[in-house]
């Protein structure tokens, strides 16, 4: 049997795992029942899992110095599900709206198949069921602090994508996701009656001017050939139509791919906050928070994954995707070990798998699950056979 046939024989079990997880989602750092479920299923497979990273689970298959670590994220989102699926979330206000239920089911499938193949593995494969990808500071850092990358040479991850049709897989050789930062601007004015604006300092006017001025950061300060996004997401001020509020708050996000652009954007944002508020005799304070760094796929390991896709899924399966403005804490593993983060298509119009990630009707085409298992197993096997002395950094 080919690896595809082996995986397809597990398809009913993959679906069962995914649907159970979808029906029982848990928020970041609170994945207690999910953790116990994973431990039970891994032990049923015949493996010996261990708890790491608070609510994470890690298990090794195979032996030898060094190895490959494969990650799946297990947390859900604070979203009320609006689907009519028979296995929809039973937890009010919590939903697997980003495919993490599928990621976890795929990695359970990897565990089940590798447990059968352990004697033929040319090294160790470590499976990381990671908590809290959706919430800063992220579960990856907790696992790393607990030593999850000790004796590991390569890292490998996968994310289902509703933008790509089932049967396709892809990645970027280099920066694949953005540095995902966020900011808060607090403006202190002077409140008063709306009929006497000359006696007040209106923070809404200051905030409005800031919203417009911030747009000039990308259009006038950043090289137009390099993508940067600065978005103001909230503007909160006031409680009545005829009252000038004493204060306002703006929050937003910054997405960049390089440290230079990140630093430049932060610098210009701070300058605009200072000078626009001063021009109106208001006080303003910027809090800037650095989020997940950019996922940086090493070239050699990504090329290996491309070759695996061509042989396992078909010659037309690989997609050279464009960089994504999303944030992803898999990047922390890549700061320490070479590897790649794959995007696996799960879009299927006939099955209604068409909604964007984080949508209350999001779902995945379950036919993508065995393809993910095949990709991860074969790519990990190829990594175990790579000559380590040829690696010279991130190749970027």
């Amino acid at each position: 049997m080919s690896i595809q046939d082996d995986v397809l024989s597990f398809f009913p079990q993959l679906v069962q795992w995914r649907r159970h997880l979808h029906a029982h989602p848990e928020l970041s750092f609170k994945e207690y029942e999910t953790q116990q479920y994973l431990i039970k299923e891994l032990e049923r497979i015949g493996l010996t899992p261990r708890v790491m990273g608070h609510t994470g689970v890690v298990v090794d298959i195979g032996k030898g110095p060094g190895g490959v670590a494969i990650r799946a994220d297990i947390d859900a989102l604070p979203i009320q599900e609006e689907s009519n699926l028979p296995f929809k979330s039973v937890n009010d206000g919590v939903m697997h709206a980003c495919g993490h239920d599928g990621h976890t089911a795929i990695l359970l499938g990897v565990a089940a198949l590798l447990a059968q193949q352990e004697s033929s593995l040319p090294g160790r494969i470590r499976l990381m069921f990671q908590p809290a990808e959706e919430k800063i500071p992220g579960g990856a850092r907790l696992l790393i602090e607990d030593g999850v990358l000790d004796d590991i040479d390569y890292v490998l991850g996968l994310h289902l994508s509703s933008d790509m049709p089932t049967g396709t897989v892809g990645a970027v050789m280099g920066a694949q996701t953005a540095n995902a930062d966020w900011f808060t601007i607090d403006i202190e004015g002077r409140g008063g009656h709306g009929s006497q604006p000359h006696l007040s300092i209106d923070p809404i006017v200051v905030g409005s001017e800031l919203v417009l001025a911030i747009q000039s950061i990308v259009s006038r300060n950043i090289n137009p050939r390099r993508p940067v996004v600065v978005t103001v997401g909230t503007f909160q001020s006031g409680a009545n139509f005829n009252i000038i509020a004493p204060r306002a708050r703006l929050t937003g996000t910054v997405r960049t791919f390089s440290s230079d652009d990140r630093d430049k954007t932060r610098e210009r944002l701070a300058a605009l906050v200072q000078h626009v508020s001063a021009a109106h005799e208001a006080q303003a304070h910027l809090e800037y928070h650095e989020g997940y760094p950019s996922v940086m796929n090493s070239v050699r390991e990504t090329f290996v994954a491309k070759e695996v896709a061509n042989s396992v899924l078909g010659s037309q399966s690989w997609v050279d995707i464009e960089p994504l403005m999303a944030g992803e804490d898999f990047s922390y593993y890549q700061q320490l070990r070479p590897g790649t983060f794959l995007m696996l298509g799960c879009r299927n119009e006939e099955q209604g798998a068409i909604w964007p990630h984080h949508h209350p009707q999001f779902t995945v085409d379950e036919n993508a699950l065995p393809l993910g298992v095949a990709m991860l197993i074969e790519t990990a096997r190829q990594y175990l056979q790579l000559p380590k002395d040829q690696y010279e950094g991130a190749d970027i």
Side-chain angles (χ1 to χ4, degrees), residues 47-100:
L47 300 172
T48 306
R50 58 191 186 276
V51 171
M52 294 183 76
H54 185 54
T55 44
V57 178
V58 174
V59 64
D60 284 0
I61 306 174
K63 299 179 180 179
V68 179
I70 311 177
R71 177 270 224 166
D73 36 14
I74 66 174
D75 57 327
L77 288 157
I79 294 174
Q80 182 66 44
E81 184 164 4
E82 296 179 1
S83 78
N84 294 316
L85 296 171
F87 50 90
K88 68 182 296 184
S89 172
V90 300
N91 295 332
D92 192 48
V94 186
M95 176 190 176
H96 272 297
C98 200
H100 295 191

Side-chain angles (χ1 to χ4, degrees), residues 170-236:
V172 178
M173 294 187 184
Q176 178 161 302
T177 69
N179 301 304
D181 302 340
W182 77 100
F183 61 85
T184 300
I185 302 170
D186 285 307
I187 304 166
E188 192 73 28
R190 184 166 63 237
H193 198 280
S195 66
Q196 297 178 306
H198 59 292
L199 300 179
S200 304
I201 298 175
D202 193 339
I204 292 180
V205 171
V206 179
S208 298
E209 191 167 323
L210 268 174
V211 171
L212 294 175
I214 285 170
Q215 309 311 307
S216 70
I217 296 176
V218 175
S219 65
R220 289 298 177 267
N221 300 120
I222 303 297
N223 187 326
R225 291 174 293 183
R226 297 207 297 262
V228 172
V229 167
V230 183
T231 294
V232 176
T234 70
F235 190 149
Q236 300 167 330

